Amino acid sequence: MAFRAVNSRRHIGLQQLSSLAWAGRTLLGPLKSCKFVVDESTNESMLICSAVRLMESLDLTSAARQLLNETIQAQNKEFKTGTSTLLFLVGAWSNAVLECLQQNVPISAIVSVMSEGLDSCCEKVQCLQISVHDVNKELCSSSVRPRTSERKVSQIPCDSSLNHQIFLYFQKDISASEELVPRNSCFPQEADCNFNKGLVWPLASFGSVASLVRSVDNKSRSVISGSGVSASICKQKILTHSRYFSTVAKSHVSSHLHDSQVYLSGQSAYTCECYGLGHLAMALSHGNQPSMKLLQSIVAYQHERAECSGSSQFSITEIATCCLPGLPESYSCVCPGFITLVSPEQATVTKYFQDKSLWILLMDGDLTEHYRHLGFTKPRNVKAVLEYPSLQEGGSRDLWLSTMLDILISLEVNLVLVKGTVCENLMERCIANNILVISSVTQNVLSAFGEVTGAQPVTYLAQLNASCLGSGVWVELWKGCDERAMELGQLVPVRIKVQGIPLLTALLTTTVASKMQLIEDQFWTFVYRLHHALKDGKVFLGGGAVEFLCLSHSQRLSEQSSKLADKNAVKEFHSPQLAASSSEYKAVVLQALATGWNQYLSMVMCNTAKAASEFEAHTLIDHHLQKAADCGSPSAYVLKEFRRGGMFGGGSIPFTDSEEGVKVYDNVTAKMEAWRRALDLVLLVLQTDAEIIIGPRRSQLLNSPSSSEFMFL
């Protein structure tokens, strides 16, 4: 056992947090820089763009790094977003606290003042929260504005009421320009009645637009493209974040129809606003256009279904993903039902079942001989030696396989969806008897099939009876836009559907295998970002607007602490020396908190090409801080800059039918929770006074360069 003091003026734990967080600085902001992670043992590489994947790939042997990993995992488990912000602020505030320690600021003062400062910032930025309804109304209004219309920006006094001011800032004149285009006859339709709402919705090319089409009954119906809900003509698009900053030439709407349309039958004419979430999804996409187009298709489908059934307009539990490496990204689409990858042998069974109604079985555990659900899982440190004698092991396994197979055959089960793993020998026997077994099915997929088919999930096959089975399920080989079945090496995509199922599968494709995990992570991050925005009912102004207000507020508090030291502090302490010291500490700590916000903003500006260097970013930030102070109300200044796309326009993304970029918005709860978790972690590590290392590492520590820091017990 070794003992090392860590709570010193060069706090080791904070240094470790700072160095580790520095590796993820390029993951911050709407435009991230990806990283390649190479496994030296297998020479396999993976492209990552999130703090979660970064932490999974790094060495986390120290206690501080383990705490950081647990904090990021907790943030990701709850929100699926905000982890990059958390990681960066951990590093920024660790450096800030180290500076405070260098100035002999007591740890108790650092903990109390920084906590109070963050709480004050969280209260201050509440004025930058905007309701989802107001944001979506503004975006939908902008989408139907003619190109020649003049935009009027009202001058709002800096001292006006902020809550009312937000509403005024987001009011615009609404005018529509409609263009009727013939319906594309090549767009695929479903065979049976409940799947005629678009079998495959291809991923549109960048910059595609939506239009109004005229249906057979001569009524206008909305078409939702992969890029958004719109009722305006095709306009010239500007690519604002490109290596070459080029302008895309104007193209005719009809040239995009086959690649980008999502035709929703059975609906009368709708304005853009009626679809509700299409443009809100765009504002929350943070520039991730492929995922944005997929999610807009999902929103359009769920909106139509919600009007028919009265269910929720957007349900995250009705979304699944299937990764298809080897196909071009243009094959990415959204398809009703459940799509998964199976082996060629299972694909043969699928062909046998084509055009046949099947009986389905749902299992919420593993389909293995030794599986026990959580209530009967034995302790890991207890070993039963005689439970499965080696002499009878083969006979016992064969007996179990035969018994399980007999149960499936006797009840005429055709399809088995298993939440966990499946015994390979049982899988082979099922294939030989034309029983399709699919493993690793998520809980939401099982629930969706259970609700529609009437199947009741079971834990063990021994519990199975006829009342647990569901019916009316169909399976087929999945076909792409060209109506051809796909084979991806050793895997074949198959589609499982049933009439009335709300489940949608987003097919994610790429020809670069190392990019597959990145695309899936980005898609789910975007989905949860929209989910949490609707759950909160409000969003933050994005592009660094909220952090800028936190920076301004923290600096203002620090200046007030310095100026009012003699007046306020003396009243609280009998000793003038203690009063001056306490006020001085407060000013230093609040300035350290502001330094973290400053570093965050400068890194976002560098990552979004708003500044060529950190020095230029800091200079620009100081300039806007001075203008905000001169305005008298930093909150009003932030709102004005965000509205006109100035300081906080670097994160905007190109809008499909307007030369103006769509403003970026952020989640409220996820962002504020990331702030709190980052500061809580830094202060927790700050308050540790020792690191105790146990285990067989004595010789390794003795031979290490830092052996003099340890006291061996």
Side-chain angles (χ1 to χ4, degrees), residues 359-402:
W359 289 94
I360 185 174
L361 167 64
L362 307 177
M363 299 198 64
D364 59 0
D366 295 342
L367 188 51
T368 58
E369 181 180 3
H370 302 296
Y371 172 74
R372 303 292 184 272
H373 69 77
L374 187 61
F376 294 95
T377 300
K378 298 179 180 179
R380 295 184 178 181
N381 58 344
V382 175
K383 184 177 181 180
V385 179
L386 299 177
E387 183 175 358
Y388 297 101
S390 58
L391 296 178
Q392 301 178 5
E393 185 175 356
S396 174
R397 182 184 299 112
D398 292 339
L399 177 61
W400 180 83
L401 292 173
S402 300

Short mmCIF file of all heavy atoms in Angstrom, two decimals, residues 359-402:
data_model
loop_
_atom_site.label_atom_id
_atom_site.label_comp_id
_atom_site.label_asym_id
_atom_site.label_seq_id
_atom_site.Cartn_x
_atom_site.Cartn_y
_atom_site.Cartn_z
N TRP A 359 -46.04 -16.43 -36.31
CA TRP A 359 -46.22 -16.37 -34.86
C TRP A 359 -44.90 -15.91 -34.24
O TRP A 359 -43.84 -16.43 -34.57
CB TRP A 359 -46.62 -17.74 -34.30
CG TRP A 359 -48.01 -18.15 -34.67
CD1 TRP A 359 -48.40 -18.92 -35.73
CD2 TRP A 359 -49.21 -17.81 -33.97
NE1 TRP A 359 -49.76 -19.08 -35.75
CE2 TRP A 359 -50.30 -18.40 -34.67
CE3 TRP A 359 -49.49 -17.06 -32.83
CZ2 TRP A 359 -51.61 -18.28 -34.26
CZ3 TRP A 359 -50.80 -16.93 -32.42
CH2 TRP A 359 -51.85 -17.52 -33.13
N ILE A 360 -44.99 -14.96 -33.33
CA ILE A 360 -43.79 -14.35 -32.76
C ILE A 360 -43.72 -14.61 -31.26
O ILE A 360 -44.74 -14.63 -30.55
CB ILE A 360 -43.77 -12.82 -33.03
CG1 ILE A 360 -42.47 -12.20 -32.53
CG2 ILE A 360 -44.97 -12.13 -32.40
CD1 ILE A 360 -42.31 -10.74 -32.89
N LEU A 361 -42.49 -14.80 -30.78
CA LEU A 361 -42.20 -15.00 -29.36
C LEU A 361 -41.21 -13.94 -28.91
O LEU A 361 -40.21 -13.69 -29.60
CB LEU A 361 -41.62 -16.40 -29.11
CG LEU A 361 -40.98 -16.64 -27.74
CD1 LEU A 361 -42.00 -16.53 -26.63
CD2 LEU A 361 -40.30 -18.01 -27.70
N LEU A 362 -41.46 -13.31 -27.78
CA LEU A 362 -40.59 -12.28 -27.22
C LEU A 362 -39.96 -12.79 -25.94
O LEU A 362 -40.65 -13.29 -25.06
CB LEU A 362 -41.37 -11.00 -26.94
CG LEU A 362 -42.19 -10.41 -28.09
CD1 LEU A 362 -42.96 -9.18 -27.62
CD2 LEU A 362 -41.30 -10.06 -29.27
N MET A 363 -38.63 -12.65 -25.83
CA MET A 363 -37.90 -13.09 -24.64
C MET A 363 -37.10 -11.90 -24.10
O MET A 363 -36.32 -11.28 -24.83
CB MET A 363 -36.99 -14.26 -24.96
CG MET A 363 -37.72 -15.49 -25.46
SD MET A 363 -36.72 -16.99 -25.33
CE MET A 363 -36.51 -17.12 -23.56
N ASP A 364 -37.29 -11.61 -22.81
CA ASP A 364 -36.65 -10.45 -22.21
C ASP A 364 -35.35 -10.79 -21.48
O ASP A 364 -34.90 -10.04 -20.62
CB ASP A 364 -37.61 -9.76 -21.23
CG ASP A 364 -38.06 -10.68 -20.11
OD1 ASP A 364 -37.63 -11.85 -20.10
OD2 ASP A 364 -38.85 -10.24 -19.25
N GLY A 365 -34.73 -11.88 -21.83
CA GLY A 365 -33.44 -12.27 -21.24
C GLY A 365 -32.58 -12.98 -22.27
O GLY A 365 -32.76 -12.81 -23.47
N ASP A 366 -31.65 -13.80 -21.80
CA ASP A 366 -30.82 -14.61 -22.69
C ASP A 366 -31.52 -15.93 -22.98
O ASP A 366 -32.25 -16.47 -22.14
CB ASP A 366 -29.46 -14.88 -22.06
CG ASP A 366 -28.64 -13.61 -21.88
OD1 ASP A 366 -28.98 -12.61 -22.54
OD2 ASP A 366 -27.68 -13.63 -21.09
N LEU A 367 -31.24 -16.46 -24.15
CA LEU A 367 -31.74 -17.78 -24.52
C LEU A 367 -30.57 -18.75 -24.47
O LEU A 367 -30.07 -19.25 -25.47
CB LEU A 367 -32.38 -17.74 -25.92
CG LEU A 367 -33.13 -19.01 -26.37
CD1 LEU A 367 -34.12 -19.48 -25.32
CD2 LEU A 367 -33.82 -18.77 -27.70
N THR A 368 -30.12 -19.01 -23.25
CA THR A 368 -29.00 -19.91 -23.02
C THR A 368 -29.35 -20.85 -21.87
O THR A 368 -30.27 -20.60 -21.09
CB THR A 368 -27.72 -19.13 -22.66
OG1 THR A 368 -27.97 -18.32 -21.50
CG2 THR A 368 -27.30 -18.22 -23.81
N GLU A 369 -28.57 -21.89 -21.75
CA GLU A 369 -28.86 -22.91 -20.75
C GLU A 369 -28.67 -22.41 -19.33
O GLU A 369 -29.46 -22.74 -18.43
CB GLU A 369 -27.98 -24.13 -21.00
CG GLU A 369 -28.21 -25.28 -20.03
CD GLU A 369 -27.31 -26.47 -20.31
OE1 GLU A 369 -26.46 -26.37 -21.23
OE2 GLU A 369 -27.44 -27.48 -19.61
N HIS A 370 -27.66 -21.62 -19.09
CA HIS A 370 -27.31 -21.21 -17.73
C HIS A 370 -27.84 -19.83 -17.37
O HIS A 370 -27.45 -19.28 -16.33
CB HIS A 370 -25.79 -21.23 -17.55
CG HIS A 370 -25.18 -22.57 -17.84
ND1 HIS A 370 -25.46 -23.68 -17.09
CD2 HIS A 370 -24.31 -22.97 -18.81
CE1 HIS A 370 -24.78 -24.72 -17.57
NE2 HIS A 370 -24.09 -24.31 -18.62
N TYR A 371 -28.69 -19.25 -18.20
CA TYR A 371 -29.18 -17.91 -17.90
C TYR A 371 -30.16 -17.95 -16.74
O TYR A 371 -31.05 -18.80 -16.66
CB TYR A 371 -29.87 -17.30 -19.13
CG TYR A 371 -30.57 -16.00 -18.82
CD1 TYR A 371 -29.84 -14.83 -18.60
CD2 TYR A 371 -31.95 -15.94 -18.71
CE1 TYR A 371 -30.47 -13.64 -18.31
CE2 TYR A 371 -32.60 -14.74 -18.41
CZ TYR A 371 -31.85 -13.60 -18.21
OH TYR A 371 -32.47 -12.42 -17.91
N ARG A 372 -29.98 -17.01 -15.80
CA ARG A 372 -30.94 -16.78 -14.72
C ARG A 372 -31.21 -15.28 -14.67
O ARG A 372 -30.27 -14.49 -14.77
CB ARG A 372 -30.37 -17.24 -13.36
CG ARG A 372 -29.95 -18.69 -13.32
CD ARG A 372 -31.16 -19.62 -13.42
NE ARG A 372 -30.77 -21.01 -13.27
CZ ARG A 372 -30.39 -21.80 -14.28
NH1 ARG A 372 -30.34 -21.32 -15.51
NH2 ARG A 372 -30.06 -23.05 -14.06
N HIS A 373 -32.46 -14.90 -14.56
CA HIS A 373 -32.75 -13.48 -14.51
C HIS A 373 -32.22 -12.89 -13.21
O HIS A 373 -31.77 -13.60 -12.31
CB HIS A 373 -34.24 -13.20 -14.71
CG HIS A 373 -35.11 -13.65 -13.58
ND1 HIS A 373 -35.21 -12.95 -12.41
CD2 HIS A 373 -35.94 -14.71 -13.46
CE1 HIS A 373 -36.06 -13.56 -11.61
NE2 HIS A 373 -36.52 -14.63 -12.22
N LEU A 374 -32.30 -11.57 -13.10
CA LEU A 374 -31.58 -10.86 -12.05
C LEU A 374 -31.91 -11.36 -10.65
O LEU A 374 -31.07 -11.40 -9.76
CB LEU A 374 -31.88 -9.36 -12.16
CG LEU A 374 -31.07 -8.44 -11.25
CD1 LEU A 374 -29.59 -8.59 -11.56
CD2 LEU A 374 -31.50 -6.99 -11.43
N GLY A 375 -33.16 -11.79 -10.45
CA GLY A 375 -33.55 -12.25 -9.12
C GLY A 375 -32.91 -13.55 -8.71
O GLY A 375 -32.87 -13.87 -7.52
N PHE A 376 -32.38 -14.32 -9.67
CA PHE A 376 -31.78 -15.61 -9.35
C PHE A 376 -30.31 -15.68 -9.76
O PHE A 376 -29.75 -16.76 -9.84
CB PHE A 376 -32.55 -16.74 -10.04
CG PHE A 376 -33.95 -16.90 -9.51
CD1 PHE A 376 -35.01 -16.29 -10.14
CD2 PHE A 376 -34.20 -17.64 -8.36
CE1 PHE A 376 -36.30 -16.43 -9.66
CE2 PHE A 376 -35.49 -17.78 -7.86
CZ PHE A 376 -36.54 -17.16 -8.52
N THR A 377 -29.71 -14.55 -10.01
CA THR A 377 -28.29 -14.55 -10.35
C THR A 377 -27.47 -14.86 -9.11
O THR A 377 -27.63 -14.21 -8.07
CB THR A 377 -27.87 -13.19 -10.92
OG1 THR A 377 -28.64 -12.94 -12.10
CG2 THR A 377 -26.40 -13.20 -11.29
N LYS A 378 -26.59 -15.83 -9.23
CA LYS A 378 -25.81 -16.25 -8.07
C LYS A 378 -24.64 -15.29 -7.84
O LYS A 378 -24.16 -14.64 -8.77
CB LYS A 378 -25.27 -17.65 -8.30
CG LYS A 378 -26.37 -18.70 -8.44
CD LYS A 378 -25.78 -20.06 -8.69
CE LYS A 378 -26.89 -21.11 -8.83
NZ LYS A 378 -26.35 -22.44 -9.09
N PRO A 379 -24.17 -15.18 -6.60
CA PRO A 379 -23.00 -14.33 -6.33
C PRO A 379 -21.80 -14.79 -7.14
O PRO A 379 -21.57 -16.00 -7.32
CB PRO A 379 -22.77 -14.53 -4.83
CG PRO A 379 -24.08 -14.99 -4.29
CD PRO A 379 -24.72 -15.79 -5.38
N ARG A 380 -21.03 -13.84 -7.61
CA ARG A 380 -19.90 -14.19 -8.47
C ARG A 380 -18.78 -14.88 -7.72
O ARG A 380 -17.98 -15.59 -8.31
CB ARG A 380 -19.37 -12.92 -9.15
CG ARG A 380 -20.38 -12.28 -10.11
CD ARG A 380 -19.76 -11.10 -10.83
NE ARG A 380 -20.70 -10.51 -11.78
CZ ARG A 380 -20.41 -9.47 -12.57
NH1 ARG A 380 -19.20 -8.90 -12.49
NH2 ARG A 380 -21.31 -8.99 -13.40
N ASN A 381 -18.70 -14.64 -6.41
CA ASN A 381 -17.61 -15.25 -5.65
C ASN A 381 -17.95 -16.63 -5.10
O ASN A 381 -17.20 -17.21 -4.33
CB ASN A 381 -17.22 -14.33 -4.48
CG ASN A 381 -18.40 -14.06 -3.56
OD1 ASN A 381 -19.54 -14.29 -3.94
ND2 ASN A 381 -18.12 -13.58 -2.36
N VAL A 382 -19.12 -17.18 -5.50
CA VAL A 382 -19.51 -18.52 -5.08
C VAL A 382 -19.44 -19.44 -6.30
O VAL A 382 -20.04 -19.14 -7.34
CB VAL A 382 -20.94 -18.53 -4.49
CG1 VAL A 382 -21.37 -19.95 -4.16
CG2 VAL A 382 -20.99 -17.65 -3.25
N LYS A 383 -18.75 -20.53 -6.18
CA LYS A 383 -18.58 -21.46 -7.29
C LYS A 383 -19.21 -22.80 -6.94
O LYS A 383 -18.85 -23.44 -5.95
CB LYS A 383 -17.09 -21.65 -7.60
CG LYS A 383 -16.85 -22.54 -8.80
CD LYS A 383 -15.36 -22.63 -9.11
CE LYS A 383 -15.11 -23.49 -10.33
NZ LYS A 383 -13.66 -23.59 -10.64
N ALA A 384 -20.20 -23.20 -7.73
CA ALA A 384 -20.86 -24.51 -7.53
C ALA A 384 -20.09 -25.55 -8.33
O ALA A 384 -20.12 -25.57 -9.56
CB ALA A 384 -22.31 -24.44 -7.98
N VAL A 385 -19.42 -26.45 -7.63
CA VAL A 385 -18.54 -27.40 -8.31
C VAL A 385 -19.32 -28.55 -8.93
O VAL A 385 -19.02 -29.01 -10.03
CB VAL A 385 -17.48 -27.94 -7.32
CG1 VAL A 385 -16.57 -28.94 -8.01
CG2 VAL A 385 -16.69 -26.80 -6.71
N LEU A 386 -20.37 -29.04 -8.27
CA LEU A 386 -21.03 -30.27 -8.70
C LEU A 386 -22.38 -30.03 -9.38
O LEU A 386 -23.13 -30.97 -9.59
CB LEU A 386 -21.24 -31.18 -7.48
CG LEU A 386 -19.99 -31.64 -6.76
CD1 LEU A 386 -20.34 -32.48 -5.55
CD2 LEU A 386 -19.08 -32.43 -7.70
N GLU A 387 -22.67 -28.75 -9.72
CA GLU A 387 -23.97 -28.51 -10.33
C GLU A 387 -24.05 -29.12 -11.72
O GLU A 387 -25.06 -29.68 -12.12
CB GLU A 387 -24.24 -27.01 -10.41
CG GLU A 387 -25.62 -26.67 -10.96
CD GLU A 387 -25.90 -25.19 -10.92
OE1 GLU A 387 -25.05 -24.43 -10.43
OE2 GLU A 387 -26.98 -24.79 -11.39
N TYR A 388 -22.97 -29.03 -12.49
CA TYR A 388 -22.93 -29.60 -13.83
C TYR A 388 -21.69 -30.49 -13.93
O TYR A 388 -20.64 -30.05 -14.37
CB TYR A 388 -22.87 -28.50 -14.90
CG TYR A 388 -24.09 -27.62 -14.89
CD1 TYR A 388 -24.06 -26.38 -14.29
CD2 TYR A 388 -25.28 -28.05 -15.49
CE1 TYR A 388 -25.18 -25.57 -14.27
CE2 TYR A 388 -26.40 -27.24 -15.48
CZ TYR A 388 -26.35 -26.01 -14.87
OH TYR A 388 -27.46 -25.21 -14.87
N PRO A 389 -21.79 -31.75 -13.51
CA PRO A 389 -20.64 -32.65 -13.55
C PRO A 389 -20.11 -32.79 -14.97
O PRO A 389 -20.88 -32.84 -15.92
CB PRO A 389 -21.20 -33.97 -13.03
CG PRO A 389 -22.44 -33.59 -12.28
CD PRO A 389 -22.98 -32.41 -12.97
N SER A 390 -18.81 -32.85 -15.09
CA SER A 390 -18.20 -32.90 -16.41
C SER A 390 -18.59 -34.16 -17.17
O SER A 390 -18.69 -34.16 -18.38
CB SER A 390 -16.67 -32.82 -16.26
OG SER A 390 -16.21 -33.89 -15.44
N LEU A 391 -18.82 -35.29 -16.47
CA LEU A 391 -19.16 -36.52 -17.16
C LEU A 391 -20.52 -36.44 -17.83
O LEU A 391 -20.77 -37.10 -18.84
CB LEU A 391 -19.13 -37.70 -16.17
CG LEU A 391 -17.77 -38.02 -15.55
CD1 LEU A 391 -17.90 -39.17 -14.55
CD2 LEU A 391 -16.76 -38.39 -16.63
N GLN A 392 -21.41 -35.61 -17.29
CA GLN A 392 -22.75 -35.53 -17.85
C GLN A 392 -22.99 -34.20 -18.57
O GLN A 392 -24.11 -33.90 -18.94
CB GLN A 392 -23.79 -35.66 -16.72
CG GLN A 392 -23.67 -36.96 -15.95
CD GLN A 392 -24.68 -37.02 -14.83
OE1 GLN A 392 -25.51 -36.14 -14.70
NE2 GLN A 392 -24.61 -38.07 -14.04
N GLU A 393 -21.90 -33.43 -18.79
CA GLU A 393 -22.09 -32.10 -19.36
C GLU A 393 -22.65 -32.17 -20.77
O GLU A 393 -23.58 -31.46 -21.13
CB GLU A 393 -20.74 -31.36 -19.36
CG GLU A 393 -20.87 -29.93 -19.83
CD GLU A 393 -19.55 -29.20 -19.69
OE1 GLU A 393 -18.59 -29.79 -19.18
OE2 GLU A 393 -19.50 -28.03 -20.12
N GLY A 394 -22.09 -33.04 -21.60
CA GLY A 394 -22.57 -33.16 -22.97
C GLY A 394 -24.00 -33.62 -23.03
O GLY A 394 -24.83 -33.07 -23.76
N GLY A 395 -24.36 -34.62 -22.24
CA GLY A 395 -25.72 -35.11 -22.25
C GLY A 395 -26.71 -34.09 -21.72
O GLY A 395 -27.82 -33.98 -22.23
N SER A 396 -26.31 -33.33 -20.70
CA SER A 396 -27.19 -32.30 -20.17
C SER A 396 -27.46 -31.21 -21.18
O SER A 396 -28.58 -30.73 -21.34
CB SER A 396 -26.57 -31.70 -18.90
OG SER A 396 -27.33 -30.62 -18.44
N ARG A 397 -26.41 -30.81 -21.93
CA ARG A 397 -26.59 -29.76 -22.93
C ARG A 397 -27.50 -30.25 -24.05
O ARG A 397 -28.39 -29.52 -24.51
CB ARG A 397 -25.24 -29.35 -23.50
CG ARG A 397 -25.34 -28.22 -24.52
CD ARG A 397 -24.00 -27.88 -25.14
NE ARG A 397 -23.03 -27.44 -24.16
CZ ARG A 397 -21.95 -28.13 -23.82
NH1 ARG A 397 -21.73 -29.32 -24.38
NH2 ARG A 397 -21.10 -27.68 -22.94
N ASP A 398 -27.29 -31.47 -24.51
CA ASP A 398 -28.13 -32.00 -25.58
C ASP A 398 -29.58 -32.11 -25.13
O ASP A 398 -30.50 -31.85 -25.92
CB ASP A 398 -27.62 -33.37 -26.03
CG ASP A 398 -26.27 -33.28 -26.74
OD1 ASP A 398 -25.95 -32.17 -27.21
OD2 ASP A 398 -25.55 -34.29 -26.79
N LEU A 399 -29.78 -32.50 -23.89
CA LEU A 399 -31.15 -32.61 -23.38
C LEU A 399 -31.82 -31.25 -23.34
O LEU A 399 -32.99 -31.11 -23.72
CB LEU A 399 -31.12 -33.24 -21.97
CG LEU A 399 -32.49 -33.35 -21.27
CD1 LEU A 399 -33.43 -34.23 -22.08
CD2 LEU A 399 -32.30 -33.89 -19.85
N TRP A 400 -31.08 -30.23 -22.91
CA TRP A 400 -31.65 -28.89 -22.85
C TRP A 400 -31.98 -28.38 -24.25
O TRP A 400 -33.05 -27.81 -24.49
CB TRP A 400 -30.66 -27.93 -22.18
CG TRP A 400 -31.16 -26.52 -22.09
CD1 TRP A 400 -31.99 -26.00 -21.15
CD2 TRP A 400 -30.86 -25.45 -23.01
NE1 TRP A 400 -32.24 -24.67 -21.42
CE2 TRP A 400 -31.56 -24.30 -22.55
CE3 TRP A 400 -30.08 -25.37 -24.16
CZ2 TRP A 400 -31.48 -23.09 -23.21
CZ3 TRP A 400 -30.01 -24.15 -24.82
CH2 TRP A 400 -30.70 -23.03 -24.35
N LEU A 401 -31.08 -28.60 -25.21
CA LEU A 401 -31.32 -28.16 -26.58
C LEU A 401 -32.55 -28.83 -27.17
O LEU A 401 -33.39 -28.18 -27.80
CB LEU A 401 -30.09 -28.44 -27.45
CG LEU A 401 -28.84 -27.62 -27.15
CD1 LEU A 401 -27.65 -28.13 -27.97
CD2 LEU A 401 -29.07 -26.15 -27.44
N SER A 402 -32.65 -30.12 -26.96
CA SER A 402 -33.80 -30.86 -27.51
C SER A 402 -35.10 -30.39 -26.87
O SER A 402 -36.12 -30.23 -27.55
CB SER A 402 -33.61 -32.36 -27.29
OG SER A 402 -32.43 -32.82 -27.92
#
